[in-house]
Amino acid sequence: MNKPILLIAIIFLLKMTAFGQPNVHGQSSTYEWPSDPLVKKKLEKWQDQKFGMIIHWGLYAVPGIMESWNLCSEDWISRDSTIAYEDYKKWYWGLSEKFNPVNFNPDQWAKAGKSAGMKYLVFTTKHHDGFNMFDTKESDFKISNGPFKGNPKADAAKFVFDAFRKQDFMIGAYFSKPDWHSQYYWWSKYATADRNNNYDIKKNPWRWNKFKTQTFNQISELMNNYGSVDILWLDGGWVRPLETVNDEVRAWGAAIPAWSQDIDMPKIAEMGRKAQPGLLIVDRTVHGPYENYQTPEQRIPEQQLDHPWESCMTLGGAWGFVANDQYKSVATVIHSLIEITAKGGSLLLGVGPKPDGTMPDEVVNRLGEIGNWVSKNGKAIYETRITKDYHNDNTWFTQSKDAKTKYALVCIKEGESLPSTVSWTGNEPVKGSKVKFLQTGENVKWVKENATIRVFLPKGIPAGLPALAFSFSSKP
Protein backbone atom coordinates (compact mmCIF):
# COMPACT_ATOMS: atom_id res chain seq x y z
CA MET A 1 0.00 0.00 0.00
CA ASN A 2 1.42 3.43 -0.88
CA LYS A 3 1.72 6.13 1.75
CA PRO A 4 -1.24 8.32 0.70
CA ILE A 5 -3.59 5.32 0.69
CA LEU A 6 -2.20 4.17 4.04
CA LEU A 7 -2.91 7.63 5.43
CA ILE A 8 -6.52 7.34 4.28
CA ALA A 9 -6.83 3.98 5.99
CA ILE A 10 -5.47 5.42 9.24
CA ILE A 11 -7.90 8.34 9.07
CA PHE A 12 -10.81 5.96 8.75
CA LEU A 13 -9.52 3.68 11.48
CA LEU A 14 -9.24 6.56 13.92
CA LYS A 15 -12.22 8.67 12.96
CA MET A 16 -14.85 6.58 11.21
CA THR A 17 -15.72 3.81 13.64
CA ALA A 18 -19.30 2.58 13.79
CA PHE A 19 -19.98 4.92 16.68
CA GLY A 20 -18.71 7.86 14.64
CA GLN A 21 -21.00 7.32 11.70
CA PRO A 22 -23.71 10.00 11.63
CA ASN A 23 -26.01 7.82 9.57
CA VAL A 24 -26.61 4.71 11.69
CA HIS A 25 -30.08 3.33 11.28
CA GLY A 26 -32.76 4.17 13.80
CA GLN A 27 -36.10 2.45 13.62
CA SER A 28 -39.43 2.90 11.95
CA SER A 29 -42.08 4.85 13.82
CA THR A 30 -44.77 2.25 13.12
CA TYR A 31 -44.93 -1.54 12.96
CA GLU A 32 -47.19 -3.78 10.91
CA TRP A 33 -47.72 -7.32 12.18
CA PRO A 34 -47.44 -10.04 9.50
CA SER A 35 -50.58 -11.89 8.42
CA ASP A 36 -48.95 -15.02 6.93
CA PRO A 37 -49.30 -17.80 9.58
CA LEU A 38 -45.93 -19.31 8.61
CA VAL A 39 -44.22 -15.94 9.05
CA LYS A 40 -45.95 -15.52 12.41
CA LYS A 41 -44.67 -18.94 13.50
CA LYS A 42 -41.13 -18.15 12.37
CA LEU A 43 -41.28 -14.76 14.08
CA GLU A 44 -42.34 -16.41 17.33
CA LYS A 45 -39.38 -18.77 17.08
CA TRP A 46 -37.03 -15.88 16.34
CA GLN A 47 -38.29 -13.99 19.39
CA ASP A 48 -37.23 -16.97 21.51
CA GLN A 49 -33.58 -16.73 20.39
CA LYS A 50 -32.72 -13.32 21.91
CA PHE A 51 -29.00 -13.32 21.04
CA GLY A 52 -27.46 -13.39 17.57
CA MET A 53 -24.23 -12.73 15.67
CA ILE A 54 -23.89 -10.45 12.64
CA ILE A 55 -20.72 -10.91 10.62
CA HIS A 56 -19.34 -8.19 8.34
CA TRP A 57 -16.59 -9.62 6.13
CA GLY A 58 -15.49 -8.34 2.76
CA LEU A 59 -12.87 -6.27 0.92
CA TYR A 60 -12.73 -3.77 3.76
CA ALA A 61 -11.10 -6.44 5.95
CA VAL A 62 -7.94 -6.39 3.81
CA PRO A 63 -6.76 -2.89 4.88
CA GLY A 64 -8.87 -3.01 8.07
CA ILE A 65 -11.08 0.00 7.34
CA MET A 66 -14.73 0.91 7.78
CA GLU A 67 -16.99 -1.23 5.63
CA SER A 68 -17.90 0.19 2.17
CA TRP A 69 -18.58 3.77 3.26
CA ASN A 70 -15.13 4.93 2.15
CA LEU A 71 -16.51 4.80 -1.41
CA CYS A 72 -19.37 7.14 -0.72
CA SER A 73 -18.86 10.84 -1.40
CA GLU A 74 -20.70 12.59 1.43
CA ASP A 75 -19.72 15.44 3.71
CA TRP A 76 -19.25 13.27 6.80
CA ILE A 77 -16.56 11.16 5.09
CA SER A 78 -12.96 12.40 5.28
CA ARG A 79 -10.26 11.58 2.73
CA ASP A 80 -6.74 12.75 1.98
CA SER A 81 -7.37 15.65 -0.38
CA THR A 82 -4.21 14.82 -2.36
CA ILE A 83 -5.82 11.60 -3.62
CA ALA A 84 -8.38 11.93 -6.39
CA TYR A 85 -11.71 10.35 -5.60
CA GLU A 86 -11.68 8.21 -8.74
CA ASP A 87 -8.20 6.94 -7.82
CA TYR A 88 -9.45 5.99 -4.39
CA LYS A 89 -12.31 3.99 -5.88
CA LYS A 90 -9.92 2.20 -8.23
CA TRP A 91 -7.69 1.31 -5.27
CA TYR A 92 -10.67 0.01 -3.31
CA TRP A 93 -12.03 -2.07 -6.20
CA GLY A 94 -8.52 -3.42 -6.65
CA LEU A 95 -8.62 -5.00 -3.21
CA SER A 96 -10.58 -7.82 -4.86
CA GLU A 97 -7.24 -9.00 -6.30
CA LYS A 98 -5.71 -9.15 -2.81
CA PHE A 99 -8.54 -10.74 -0.83
CA ASN A 100 -7.33 -14.32 -0.38
CA PRO A 101 -8.59 -15.74 2.96
CA VAL A 102 -6.45 -18.89 2.86
CA ASN A 103 -7.32 -19.76 6.50
CA PHE A 104 -11.09 -19.30 6.05
CA ASN A 105 -12.58 -21.13 9.02
CA PRO A 106 -16.34 -20.69 9.39
CA ASP A 107 -16.47 -23.60 11.84
CA GLN A 108 -14.33 -21.51 14.21
CA TRP A 109 -16.79 -18.63 13.86
CA ALA A 110 -19.81 -20.83 14.52
CA LYS A 111 -18.26 -22.51 17.55
CA ALA A 112 -17.32 -19.11 18.97
CA GLY A 113 -20.90 -17.94 18.53
CA LYS A 114 -22.22 -21.11 20.13
CA SER A 115 -19.86 -20.69 23.08
CA ALA A 116 -21.28 -17.19 23.62
CA GLY A 117 -24.84 -18.51 23.77
CA MET A 118 -25.83 -17.00 20.43
CA LYS A 119 -28.76 -18.57 18.60
CA TYR A 120 -29.03 -16.92 15.17
CA LEU A 121 -26.73 -15.62 12.45
CA VAL A 122 -26.83 -12.72 10.01
CA PHE A 123 -24.01 -12.96 7.45
CA THR A 124 -23.13 -10.20 4.99
CA THR A 125 -23.51 -11.76 1.54
CA LYS A 126 -23.05 -8.35 -0.14
CA HIS A 127 -22.42 -4.93 1.39
CA HIS A 128 -22.95 -1.56 -0.31
CA ASP A 129 -19.62 -1.83 -2.17
CA GLY A 130 -21.17 -4.59 -4.29
CA PHE A 131 -18.53 -7.24 -3.51
CA ASN A 132 -20.32 -10.58 -3.31
CA MET A 133 -19.42 -13.12 -0.67
CA PHE A 134 -21.30 -15.81 -2.59
CA ASP A 135 -20.92 -17.30 -6.06
CA THR A 136 -23.52 -15.17 -7.80
CA LYS A 137 -24.03 -15.52 -11.53
CA GLU A 138 -25.04 -11.86 -11.79
CA SER A 139 -21.58 -10.36 -11.22
CA ASP A 140 -17.90 -11.20 -11.55
CA PHE A 141 -17.15 -8.96 -8.58
CA LYS A 142 -17.14 -11.75 -6.02
CA ILE A 143 -14.90 -13.71 -3.69
CA SER A 144 -15.12 -16.75 -5.96
CA ASN A 145 -13.55 -14.83 -8.85
CA GLY A 146 -10.31 -13.56 -7.28
CA PRO A 147 -7.26 -15.20 -5.71
CA PHE A 148 -9.60 -17.42 -3.66
CA LYS A 149 -11.26 -18.79 -6.80
CA GLY A 150 -9.63 -22.22 -6.70
CA ASN A 151 -10.26 -22.83 -3.02
CA PRO A 152 -12.85 -25.55 -2.23
CA LYS A 153 -14.60 -23.00 0.02
CA ALA A 154 -14.66 -20.22 -2.57
CA ASP A 155 -18.45 -19.96 -2.33
CA ALA A 156 -17.98 -18.49 1.14
CA ALA A 157 -21.61 -17.90 2.12
CA LYS A 158 -22.45 -21.58 1.57
CA PHE A 159 -19.81 -22.71 4.03
CA VAL A 160 -20.71 -20.02 6.56
CA PHE A 161 -24.37 -21.01 6.52
CA ASP A 162 -23.51 -24.72 6.73
CA ALA A 163 -21.16 -24.20 9.68
CA PHE A 164 -23.76 -22.28 11.68
CA ARG A 165 -26.54 -24.73 10.83
CA LYS A 166 -24.39 -27.48 12.37
CA GLN A 167 -24.46 -25.43 15.59
CA ASP A 168 -28.29 -25.13 15.43
CA PHE A 169 -28.39 -21.45 14.51
CA MET A 170 -31.24 -19.79 12.69
CA ILE A 171 -29.75 -18.52 9.41
CA GLY A 172 -29.98 -14.94 8.16
CA ALA A 173 -28.67 -13.56 4.87
CA TYR A 174 -27.68 -9.88 4.97
CA PHE A 175 -28.00 -8.29 1.53
CA SER A 176 -27.39 -4.65 0.62
CA LYS A 177 -30.05 -3.26 -1.69
CA PRO A 178 -27.76 -0.56 -3.14
CA ASP A 179 -24.76 -1.78 -5.15
CA TRP A 180 -22.10 0.84 -5.73
CA HIS A 181 -20.10 -1.41 -8.06
CA SER A 182 -22.99 -2.02 -10.44
CA GLN A 183 -23.29 0.09 -13.57
CA TYR A 184 -27.03 -0.19 -13.06
CA TYR A 185 -26.81 1.66 -9.73
CA TRP A 186 -23.70 3.84 -9.95
CA TRP A 187 -23.41 4.54 -13.69
CA SER A 188 -19.87 5.63 -14.58
CA LYS A 189 -21.32 8.19 -17.01
CA TYR A 190 -21.96 10.42 -13.98
CA ALA A 191 -20.19 11.31 -10.75
CA THR A 192 -21.15 9.48 -7.57
CA ALA A 193 -22.32 12.31 -5.40
CA ASP A 194 -23.69 10.31 -2.47
CA ARG A 195 -25.08 6.90 -1.47
CA ASN A 196 -28.03 7.09 -3.87
CA ASN A 197 -28.08 5.89 -7.46
CA ASN A 198 -26.50 8.60 -9.61
CA TYR A 199 -28.83 8.88 -12.59
CA ASP A 200 -32.42 9.92 -13.12
CA ILE A 201 -34.48 6.74 -13.03
CA LYS A 202 -37.42 8.46 -14.72
CA LYS A 203 -35.22 9.28 -17.73
CA ASN A 204 -33.42 5.94 -17.71
CA PRO A 205 -36.05 3.30 -16.87
CA TRP A 206 -34.20 0.59 -18.81
CA ARG A 207 -31.12 0.94 -16.59
CA TRP A 208 -33.15 0.84 -13.37
CA ASN A 209 -35.11 -2.18 -14.57
CA LYS A 210 -31.79 -3.92 -15.19
CA PHE A 211 -30.82 -3.14 -11.58
CA LYS A 212 -34.14 -4.49 -10.32
CA THR A 213 -33.58 -7.68 -12.30
CA GLN A 214 -30.03 -8.03 -10.96
CA THR A 215 -31.25 -7.53 -7.38
CA PHE A 216 -34.13 -9.97 -7.77
CA ASN A 217 -31.89 -12.62 -9.33
CA GLN A 218 -29.22 -12.33 -6.66
CA ILE A 219 -31.73 -12.64 -3.82
CA SER A 220 -33.29 -15.56 -5.69
CA GLU A 221 -29.89 -17.27 -5.78
CA LEU A 222 -29.57 -16.86 -2.01
CA MET A 223 -33.08 -18.10 -1.37
CA ASN A 224 -32.85 -21.13 -3.70
CA ASN A 225 -29.23 -22.30 -3.71
CA TYR A 226 -27.99 -22.05 -0.12
CA GLY A 227 -30.17 -24.35 1.93
CA SER A 228 -32.64 -23.32 4.59
CA VAL A 229 -32.70 -19.56 5.27
CA ASP A 230 -34.79 -18.05 8.06
CA ILE A 231 -34.12 -14.32 7.65
CA LEU A 232 -33.56 -12.02 4.66
CA TRP A 233 -31.95 -8.97 6.26
CA LEU A 234 -31.99 -6.10 3.75
CA ASP A 235 -29.76 -3.08 4.39
CA GLY A 236 -29.63 0.27 2.61
CA GLY A 237 -32.95 1.74 3.62
CA TRP A 238 -32.67 4.68 1.22
CA VAL A 239 -33.46 2.26 -1.62
CA ARG A 240 -37.22 2.45 -1.26
CA PRO A 241 -40.34 3.80 -2.94
CA LEU A 242 -40.37 7.59 -2.82
CA GLU A 243 -43.67 7.67 -0.94
CA THR A 244 -42.06 5.81 2.00
CA VAL A 245 -39.25 8.36 2.51
CA ASN A 246 -39.52 9.57 6.09
CA ASP A 247 -37.78 11.92 8.51
CA GLU A 248 -35.19 9.29 9.40
CA VAL A 249 -34.08 8.95 5.78
CA ARG A 250 -33.78 12.72 5.51
CA ALA A 251 -31.71 12.76 8.71
CA TRP A 252 -29.08 10.52 7.11
CA GLY A 253 -27.74 13.65 5.47
CA ALA A 254 -27.86 12.39 1.91
CA ALA A 255 -29.85 14.20 -0.72
CA ILE A 256 -33.19 12.55 -1.48
CA PRO A 257 -33.48 12.09 -5.25
CA ALA A 258 -36.60 13.17 -7.09
CA TRP A 259 -37.29 9.62 -8.22
CA SER A 260 -38.43 6.45 -6.55
CA GLN A 261 -35.82 3.75 -5.89
CA ASP A 262 -38.50 1.07 -5.94
CA ILE A 263 -37.09 -2.46 -6.38
CA ASP A 264 -40.50 -4.22 -6.19
CA MET A 265 -40.40 -5.71 -2.71
CA PRO A 266 -43.74 -7.56 -3.18
CA LYS A 267 -42.20 -9.56 -6.03
CA ILE A 268 -39.03 -10.27 -4.02
CA ALA A 269 -41.05 -11.31 -0.97
CA GLU A 270 -43.28 -13.63 -2.98
CA MET A 271 -40.27 -15.34 -4.52
CA GLY A 272 -38.42 -15.56 -1.22
CA ARG A 273 -41.32 -17.08 0.67
CA LYS A 274 -42.05 -19.55 -2.10
CA ALA A 275 -38.46 -20.81 -1.76
CA GLN A 276 -38.32 -20.39 2.03
CA PRO A 277 -41.83 -20.68 3.55
CA GLY A 278 -42.24 -18.41 6.56
CA LEU A 279 -39.16 -16.35 5.64
CA LEU A 280 -38.69 -13.32 7.88
CA ILE A 281 -37.96 -10.23 5.78
CA VAL A 282 -36.26 -7.29 7.43
CA ASP A 283 -36.40 -4.36 5.00
CA ARG A 284 -34.71 -2.03 7.44
CA THR A 285 -36.54 1.22 8.27
CA VAL A 286 -39.04 0.73 5.44
CA HIS A 287 -42.12 0.31 7.60
CA GLY A 288 -44.84 -1.98 6.35
CA PRO A 289 -45.33 -5.66 5.49
CA TYR A 290 -41.66 -6.31 4.67
CA GLU A 291 -40.13 -5.14 7.94
CA ASN A 292 -41.02 -8.11 10.12
CA TYR A 293 -38.89 -6.76 12.94
CA GLN A 294 -37.25 -3.41 13.55
CA THR A 295 -33.48 -2.89 13.82
CA PRO A 296 -32.33 0.15 15.82
CA GLU A 297 -28.58 0.38 15.31
CA GLN A 298 -25.91 0.92 17.98
CA ARG A 299 -28.50 1.88 20.59
CA ILE A 300 -31.23 0.51 22.81
CA PRO A 301 -34.71 2.07 22.67
CA GLU A 302 -35.57 4.14 25.71
CA GLN A 303 -38.79 2.30 26.45
CA GLN A 304 -40.10 -1.24 26.30
CA LEU A 305 -41.67 -2.14 22.94
CA ASP A 306 -44.48 -4.63 22.38
CA HIS A 307 -43.53 -5.62 18.83
CA PRO A 308 -40.48 -7.54 17.50
CA TRP A 309 -37.16 -5.72 17.31
CA GLU A 310 -33.41 -6.17 17.73
CA SER A 311 -30.55 -3.84 18.58
CA CYS A 312 -27.64 -4.46 16.22
CA MET A 313 -24.50 -3.39 18.03
CA THR A 314 -20.78 -3.96 17.55
CA LEU A 315 -18.56 -5.89 19.94
CA GLY A 316 -15.72 -3.52 19.06
CA GLY A 317 -15.69 -0.06 17.55
CA ALA A 318 -16.34 -1.17 13.98
CA TRP A 319 -18.57 -3.68 12.20
CA GLY A 320 -15.74 -5.32 10.27
CA PHE A 321 -12.18 -6.19 11.20
CA VAL A 322 -9.94 -3.34 12.33
CA ALA A 323 -6.49 -4.00 13.76
CA ASN A 324 -6.17 -3.18 17.48
CA ASP A 325 -9.91 -2.62 17.83
CA GLN A 326 -11.19 -1.90 21.33
CA TYR A 327 -13.80 -4.44 22.41
CA LYS A 328 -16.63 -3.96 24.86
CA SER A 329 -16.28 -5.60 28.25
CA VAL A 330 -18.19 -8.75 29.12
CA ALA A 331 -20.26 -6.77 31.62
CA THR A 332 -21.20 -4.17 29.00
CA VAL A 333 -22.47 -6.84 26.60
CA ILE A 334 -24.31 -8.77 29.33
CA HIS A 335 -25.96 -5.62 30.67
CA SER A 336 -27.06 -4.68 27.13
CA LEU A 337 -28.44 -8.17 26.55
CA ILE A 338 -30.41 -7.98 29.80
CA GLU A 339 -31.84 -4.51 29.13
CA ILE A 340 -32.73 -5.37 25.54
CA THR A 341 -34.46 -8.60 26.58
CA ALA A 342 -36.45 -6.85 29.31
CA LYS A 343 -37.56 -4.26 26.77
CA GLY A 344 -38.75 -6.98 24.39
CA GLY A 345 -35.91 -7.12 21.88
CA SER A 346 -32.96 -9.23 20.81
CA LEU A 347 -29.26 -8.38 20.72
CA LEU A 348 -27.48 -8.87 17.37
CA LEU A 349 -23.78 -8.50 18.19
CA GLY A 350 -21.41 -7.56 15.36
CA VAL A 351 -17.98 -9.10 14.82
CA GLY A 352 -15.56 -9.06 11.89
CA PRO A 353 -13.21 -11.87 10.80
CA LYS A 354 -9.67 -11.07 9.74
CA PRO A 355 -8.69 -10.94 6.05
CA ASP A 356 -7.19 -14.44 6.35
CA GLY A 357 -10.63 -15.86 7.26
CA THR A 358 -10.16 -16.45 10.98
CA MET A 359 -11.86 -14.69 13.87
CA PRO A 360 -9.50 -12.57 16.02
CA ASP A 361 -8.40 -14.42 19.17
CA GLU A 362 -9.63 -11.57 21.37
CA VAL A 363 -13.10 -11.85 19.85
CA VAL A 364 -13.19 -15.61 20.37
CA ASN A 365 -12.04 -15.22 23.98
CA ARG A 366 -14.51 -12.41 24.70
CA LEU A 367 -17.40 -14.44 23.29
CA GLY A 368 -16.43 -17.38 25.46
CA GLU A 369 -16.41 -15.18 28.56
CA ILE A 370 -19.86 -13.86 27.69
CA GLY A 371 -21.04 -17.44 27.29
CA ASN A 372 -19.80 -18.36 30.76
CA TRP A 373 -22.53 -16.15 32.20
CA VAL A 374 -25.20 -16.90 29.60
CA SER A 375 -24.82 -20.68 30.04
CA LYS A 376 -25.78 -20.40 33.71
CA ASN A 377 -28.43 -17.71 33.45
CA GLY A 378 -29.96 -18.22 30.02
CA LYS A 379 -33.36 -19.24 31.40
CA ALA A 380 -33.92 -15.58 32.26
CA ILE A 381 -33.12 -14.61 28.64
CA TYR A 382 -34.17 -17.28 26.14
CA GLU A 383 -37.85 -17.87 25.33
CA THR A 384 -38.92 -15.03 27.65
CA ARG A 385 -41.37 -12.23 27.02
CA ILE A 386 -41.91 -8.76 28.42
CA THR A 387 -43.60 -8.07 31.72
CA LYS A 388 -45.33 -4.82 32.64
CA ASP A 389 -43.07 -3.74 35.51
CA TYR A 390 -39.80 -4.44 33.77
CA HIS A 391 -37.29 -2.14 35.47
CA ASN A 392 -36.42 -1.08 39.00
CA ASP A 393 -33.11 0.70 39.58
CA ASN A 394 -30.39 -1.75 38.51
CA THR A 395 -32.78 -4.70 38.19
CA TRP A 396 -34.59 -5.80 35.03
CA PHE A 397 -37.46 -8.28 34.77
CA THR A 398 -38.60 -10.83 32.21
CA GLN A 399 -41.12 -13.65 32.37
CA SER A 400 -41.75 -17.04 30.82
CA LYS A 401 -44.13 -17.22 27.87
CA ASP A 402 -46.82 -18.82 30.04
CA ALA A 403 -46.37 -15.96 32.57
CA LYS A 404 -46.00 -18.45 35.44
CA THR A 405 -42.34 -17.67 36.15
CA LYS A 406 -40.67 -14.31 36.48
CA TYR A 407 -36.99 -13.51 36.36
CA ALA A 408 -35.11 -10.73 38.09
CA LEU A 409 -31.75 -9.78 36.58
CA VAL A 410 -29.60 -7.55 38.76
CA CYS A 411 -26.78 -5.75 36.92
CA ILE A 412 -23.57 -5.29 38.91
CA LYS A 413 -21.48 -2.23 38.09
CA GLU A 414 -18.02 -3.04 36.82
CA GLY A 415 -15.44 -2.95 39.58
CA GLU A 416 -17.96 -3.25 42.40
CA SER A 417 -17.89 -6.17 44.84
CA LEU A 418 -20.85 -8.50 44.98
CA PRO A 419 -23.34 -7.53 47.71
CA SER A 420 -24.61 -9.96 50.33
CA THR A 421 -28.21 -9.09 49.46
CA VAL A 422 -30.08 -7.56 46.55
CA SER A 423 -33.47 -5.91 46.61
CA TRP A 424 -36.21 -4.59 44.37
CA THR A 425 -39.77 -3.31 44.56
CA GLY A 426 -42.68 -4.80 42.67
CA ASN A 427 -42.66 -8.24 41.03
CA GLU A 428 -43.31 -9.87 44.39
CA PRO A 429 -42.80 -13.65 44.70
CA VAL A 430 -45.80 -15.66 45.82
CA LYS A 431 -45.84 -15.88 49.61
CA GLY A 432 -44.04 -18.99 50.80
CA SER A 433 -42.61 -19.78 47.37
CA LYS A 434 -38.98 -20.39 46.50
CA VAL A 435 -36.55 -18.04 44.78
CA LYS A 436 -33.83 -19.77 42.76
CA PHE A 437 -30.40 -18.29 42.10
CA LEU A 438 -29.73 -19.34 38.52
CA GLN A 439 -25.94 -19.09 38.67
CA THR A 440 -25.76 -22.07 41.06
CA GLY A 441 -29.28 -23.50 40.79
CA GLU A 442 -29.84 -23.31 44.53
CA ASN A 443 -32.80 -21.82 46.38
CA VAL A 444 -32.05 -18.69 48.39
CA LYS A 445 -33.73 -16.96 51.30
CA TRP A 446 -35.95 -13.97 50.62
CA VAL A 447 -38.08 -11.63 52.71
CA LYS A 448 -40.56 -8.87 52.11
CA GLU A 449 -39.83 -5.62 53.93
CA ASN A 450 -42.76 -3.28 53.41
CA ALA A 451 -42.83 -2.94 49.59
CA THR A 452 -39.27 -4.18 49.11
CA ILE A 453 -38.21 -7.70 48.22
CA ARG A 454 -34.83 -8.58 49.71
CA VAL A 455 -32.92 -11.64 48.51
CA PHE A 456 -29.95 -13.10 50.39
CA LEU A 457 -27.09 -14.38 48.27
CA PRO A 458 -25.37 -17.70 49.00
CA LYS A 459 -21.73 -17.82 50.01
CA GLY A 460 -18.96 -18.76 47.62
CA ILE A 461 -20.29 -16.94 44.55
CA PRO A 462 -17.55 -16.42 41.93
CA ALA A 463 -16.16 -12.90 42.02
CA GLY A 464 -16.66 -10.63 39.05
CA LEU A 465 -20.13 -11.76 37.96
CA PRO A 466 -21.60 -9.05 35.71
CA ALA A 467 -25.17 -9.80 36.78
CA LEU A 468 -27.24 -11.97 39.10
CA ALA A 469 -30.37 -13.76 37.91
CA PHE A 470 -33.25 -15.20 39.97
CA SER A 471 -36.40 -17.09 39.07
CA PHE A 472 -39.60 -17.17 41.10
CA SER A 473 -43.36 -17.57 40.92
CA SER A 474 -44.93 -14.14 41.01
CA LYS A 475 -48.30 -12.83 41.99
CA PRO A 476 -50.55 -12.33 38.95
Side-chain angles (χ1 to χ4, degrees):
M1 185 186 299
N2 61 42
K3 289 183 178 180
I5 294 296
L6 178 61
L7 178 59
I8 296 172
I10 293 172
I11 290 172
F12 273 94
L13 181 136
L14 295 176
K15 299 179 69 175
M16 294 300 169
T17 65
F19 294 116
Q21 282 182 232
N23 63 309
V24 293
H25 282 287
Q27 66 192 88
S28 300
S29 57
T30 60
Y31 178 79
E32 181 177 326
W33 285 91
S35 57
D36 183 332
L38 293 178
V39 176
K40 289 181 179 179
K41 183 178 180 181
K42 182 82 73 173
L43 189 58
E44 179 77 8
K45 178 182 178 181
W46 175 81
Q47 286 188 284
D48 287 343
Q49 310 307 303
K50 301 302 181 187
F51 192 19
M53 174 188 283
I54 183 169
I55 298 174
H56 278 75
W57 191 47
L59 294 184
Y60 39 85
V62 177
I65 56 178
M66 182 180 62
E67 71 293 337
S68 288
W69 285 103
N70 323 28
L71 293 168
C72 187
S73 186
E74 294 182 7
D75 289 343
W76 63 277
I77 294 174
S78 299
R79 290 190 196 89
D80 184 344
S81 60
T82 65
I83 302 297
Y85 177 46
E86 290 301 317
D87 289 340
Y88 184 88
K89 288 196 294 185
K90 290 176 183 177
W91 168 78
Y92 187 97
W93 304 137
L95 294 173
S96 63
E97 299 301 319
K98 300 178 180 179
F99 189 28
N100 189 20
V102 293
N103 297 317
F104 176 40
N105 191 355
D107 288 321
Q108 179 214 26
W109 309 356
K111 290 175 181 176
K114 185 79 168 182
S115 74
M118 293 165 161
K119 300 287 188 178
Y120 69 103
L121 164 77
V122 176
F123 175 67
T124 304
T125 64
K126 176 177 74 73
H127 205 259
H128 312 328
D129 61 10
F131 188 73
N132 296 278
M133 300 300 292
F134 67 108
D135 190 28
T136 178
K137 302 300 185 289
E138 295 293 312
S139 172
D140 291 332
F141 195 53
K142 55 188 177 181
I143 189 172
S144 55
N145 198 45
F148 202 53
K149 181 177 182 178
N151 192 287
K153 297 180 180 178
D155 193 354
K158 176 184 184 301
F159 291 90
V160 172
F161 292 155
D162 286 348
F164 279 84
R165 283 193 200 98
K166 285 190 292 187
Q167 299 297 335
D168 299 320
F169 277 61
M170 293 182 74
I171 301 300
Y174 171 117
F175 184 87
S176 168
K177 293 183 292 182
D179 187 328
W180 295 337
H181 190 265
S182 172
Q183 285 291 309
Y184 304 134
Y185 194 80
W186 271 5
W187 188 7
S188 58
K189 178 179 179 179
Y190 299 113
T192 51
D194 57 26
R195 72 192 67 189
N196 292 288
N197 76 299
N198 67 338
Y199 61 89
D200 188 333
I201 290 171
K202 293 182 294 184
K203 294 179 180 178
N204 298 276
W206 173 87
R207 187 165 294 274
W208 184 252
N209 285 331
K210 291 289 286 186
F211 180 69
K212 287 168 65 175
T213 298
Q214 172 188 306
T215 302
F216 179 90
N217 289 347
Q218 286 195 305
I219 294 175
S220 180
E221 290 173 329
L222 291 168
M223 295 299 101
N224 287 281
N225 303 339
Y226 289 82
S228 176
V229 177
D230 301 290
I231 305 163
L232 175 60
W233 209 89
L234 298 173
D235 203 4
W238 58 93
V239 177
R240 63 168 76 202
L242 191 61
E243 62 268 20
T244 67
V245 171
N246 56 20
D247 289 340
E248 186 207 347
V249 179
R250 295 184 180 94
W252 286 334
I256 304 301
W259 50 80
S260 178
Q261 295 189 54
D262 188 349
I263 57 171
D264 198 348
M265 277 303 302
K267 181 180 178 182
I268 290 172
E270 182 181 11
M271 172 273 294
R273 287 176 175 152
K274 181 178 180 180
Q276 304 285 344
L279 177 72
L280 299 181
I281 299 176
V282 184
D283 193 7
R284 299 187 67 198
T285 74
V286 186
H287 61 276
Y290 310 115
E291 191 184 28
N292 294 147
Y293 62 80
Q294 296 178 339
T295 57
E297 183 176 328
Q298 297 286 31
R299 68 178 186 86
I300 302 172
E302 293 184 8
Q303 303 296 327
Q304 188 183 75
L305 302 175
D306 62 359
H307 56 257
W309 61 277
E310 74 183 2
S311 281
C312 44
M313 307 175 80
T314 50
L315 177 61
W319 290 106
F321 170 75
V322 172
N324 301 313
D325 204 355
Q326 300 299 306
Y327 298 104
K328 295 180 176 68
S329 68
V330 173
T332 297
V333 175
I334 294 298
H335 293 174
S336 295
L337 177 62
I338 288 171
E339 180 180 353
I340 288 167
T341 303
K343 289 180 174 179
S346 299
L347 171 59
L348 185 63
L349 193 64
V351 296
K354 296 187 293 185
D356 74 344
T358 61
M359 198 68 74
D361 290 341
E362 191 170 355
V363 170
V364 174
N365 294 336
R366 191 63 50 90
L367 293 178
E369 293 169 0
I370 292 167
N372 289 337
W373 184 89
V374 175
S375 65
K376 301 285 187 181
N377 300 280
K379 286 185 178 180
I381 301 293
Y382 305 128
E383 299 186 30
T384 60
R385 294 296 183 267
I386 59 175
T387 186
K388 182 180 178 181
D389 299 317
Y390 66 96
H391 186 211
N392 177 234
D393 195 20
N394 65 331
T395 303
W396 301 86
F397 299 92
T398 63
Q399 66 178 353
S400 59
K401 288 196 285 186
D402 62 10
K404 293 181 178 179
T405 303
K406 283 197 177 178
Y407 300 96
L409 298 112
V410 183
C411 294
I412 306 298
K413 290 183 179 179
E414 291 189 68
E416 287 192 359
S417 301
L418 290 176
S420 58
T421 67
V422 295
S423 59
W424 64 78
T425 59
N427 292 298
E428 180 182 332
V430 173
K431 185 176 181 180
S433 66
K434 297 177 180 179
V435 172
K436 179 180 287 187
F437 180 49
L438 297 187
Q439 181 71 28
T440 62
E442 61 189 296
N443 295 326
V444 292
K445 178 183 176 182
W446 69 276
V447 297
K448 181 180 179 182
E449 299 172 347
N450 296 321
T452 299
I453 305 301
R454 184 174 300 278
V455 177
F456 297 81
L457 302 183
K459 295 181 179 180
I461 302 176
L465 287 178
L468 310 171
F470 306 89
S471 65
F472 53 93
S473 297
S474 180
K475 289 184 175 181

